[in-house]
Amino acid sequence: MPTLIHETNRWYVTGAKKGKSPIFKSHTRTRKGAVKLRAIDYAERRGYVRGVVKEILHDPGRGAPVAKIQFLNAYRFKRDTELMVATEGMYTGQFVYCGKKATLNIGNVLPLKQVPEGTIVCNVEAKVGDRGAFARGSGCFAVVISHDEEKGTTRLRLPSGGKKTVSSIVRAQIGVVAGGGRTDKPMLKAGRAYHKYAVKRNSWPKMRGVAKNPVEHPFGGGNHQHIGRPSTVSQAAPSGRKVGLIGARRTGRLRGVKKLGQDKD
């Protein structure tokens, strides 16, 4: 909902506060680091490597805990520390195995072709070596539906209910991401929402467009808080007018049972 803000002889629309901008940034000072799988190497492609869970950490701004896992470096006399998704049931001191010949246990990282159909996985790569893209949020998981050995692909059911076909040699962690059920508990008070978003980014509180003045928002003004025009707007609308339900195919409540991808197969 755009509102113009004057800042050192520049005008910013508040609707753009979440994107790339010189004055609005994500709050990353206290973050622990990027959560990824190991960089793929010969040991993972041909056999396996063993790591140990040193610590399970809270990462500010992330709903799921992260695991600090230490591996021996294969080429130099040193240890490599990786931050990986903590799966449900992971504990400090646990051995984690990564590679083609790793066993099918919670927290281990395997290529999808080594994983049987029906297995629950998380932190799945979209492309080989991208170190994790799907099912990374707290309580999320993907399900391996089927393997196509001729094409070398695997079909997954994602947390959204949608299906995705990926290469069978992409890697995934076994298990469910820890921290599930986080959204079941209500916030109850504004102070909790304040602290939740203070470590994420400047996206709270959100002021409704109808509560603004006409100069600040297309839905603003009037003696009663009402939109006074269609809430749907064209994809081709100019910025500033492009608020509400942009390029909507339908509006209103979704009635009836949602048809998921699994129901069709």
Side-chain angles (χ1 to χ4, degrees):
M1 299 178 179
T3 302
L4 292 177
I5 293 180
H6 187 54
E7 178 89 19
T8 59
N9 298 325
R10 293 175 295 182
W11 288 93
Y12 284 90
V13 178
T14 55
K17 282 165 79 166
K18 292 188 289 295
K20 191 169 173 58
S21 152
I23 61 169
F24 299 113
K25 294 196 182 341
S26 62
H27 304 163
T28 56
R29 182 178 59 83
T30 54
R31 304 270 172 101
K32 297 295 183 283
V35 173
K36 297 179 178 181
L37 300 175
R38 284 180 79 249
I40 193 162
D41 57 6
Y42 183 84
E44 275 207 45
R45 280 197 297 266
R46 299 293 179 194
Y48 67 87
V49 288
R50 188 180 80 171
V52 62
V53 179
K54 284 291 182 186
E55 209 178 344
I56 292 175
L57 305 163
H58 167 66
D59 190 13
R62 182 191 296 270
V66 298
K68 188 188 278 187
I69 303 178
Q70 209 169 66
F71 296 90
L72 282 175
N73 189 290
Y75 306 102
R76 289 183 178 78
F77 183 66
K78 64 172 187 174
R79 288 184 169 90
D80 295 330
T81 303
E82 304 283 350
L83 278 179
M84 289 165 69
V85 165
T87 52
E88 229 167 78
M90 195 179 266
Y91 55 90
T92 53
Q94 178 184 343
F95 287 126
V96 171
Y97 297 88
C98 304
K100 179 185 173 185
K101 295 186 177 173
T103 54
L104 194 75
N105 286 333
I106 296 290
N108 288 359
V109 179
L110 285 81
L112 283 180
K113 66 179 179 182
Q114 303 297 120
V115 175
E117 292 172 3
T119 307
I120 285 173
V121 294
C122 63
N123 200 13
V124 189
E125 292 181 322
K127 298 181 177 67
V128 180
D130 75 5
R131 302 176 71 180
F134 303 128
R136 292 160 53 94
S138 56
C140 287
F141 62 90
V143 181
V144 177
I145 298 173
S146 61
H147 297 293
D148 189 335
E149 290 178 13
E150 286 180 14
K151 293 180 183 172
T153 59
T154 298
R155 199 139 170 81
L156 298 171
R157 187 184 312 130
L158 299 181
S160 61
K163 303 256 180 87
K164 185 120 188 124
T165 304
V166 292
S167 166
S168 290
I169 55 174
V170 302
R171 296 170 297 163
Q173 260 178 279
I174 307 300
V176 180
V177 182
R182 176 176 49 85
T183 54
D184 296 345
K185 183 181 177 182
M187 286 274 203
L188 290 181
K189 56 182 192 173
R192 287 182 187 153
Y194 168 83
H195 288 295
K196 174 184 173 177
Y197 290 102
V199 289
K200 284 180 178 283
R201 72 201 74 81
N202 186 9
S203 59
W204 185 90
K206 278 192 172 70
M207 191 175 172
R208 293 168 301 130
V210 290
K212 296 181 182 179
N213 296 314
V215 70
E216 293 158 346
H217 197 275
F219 297 166
N223 285 342
H224 299 284
Q225 286 192 2
H226 68 292
I227 294 176
R229 60 176 74 209
S231 59
T232 54
V233 63
S234 163
Q235 282 276 14
S239 55
R241 173 66 188 93
K242 204 169 183 181
V243 295
L245 303 167
I246 298 166
R249 289 193 174 90
R250 66 180 303 289
T251 63
R253 284 176 54 208
L254 285 166
R255 306 298 292 268
V257 179
K258 186 182 176 189
K259 284 276 195 294
L260 293 176
Q262 72 230 41
D263 301 331
K264 295 171 189 167
D265 285 359

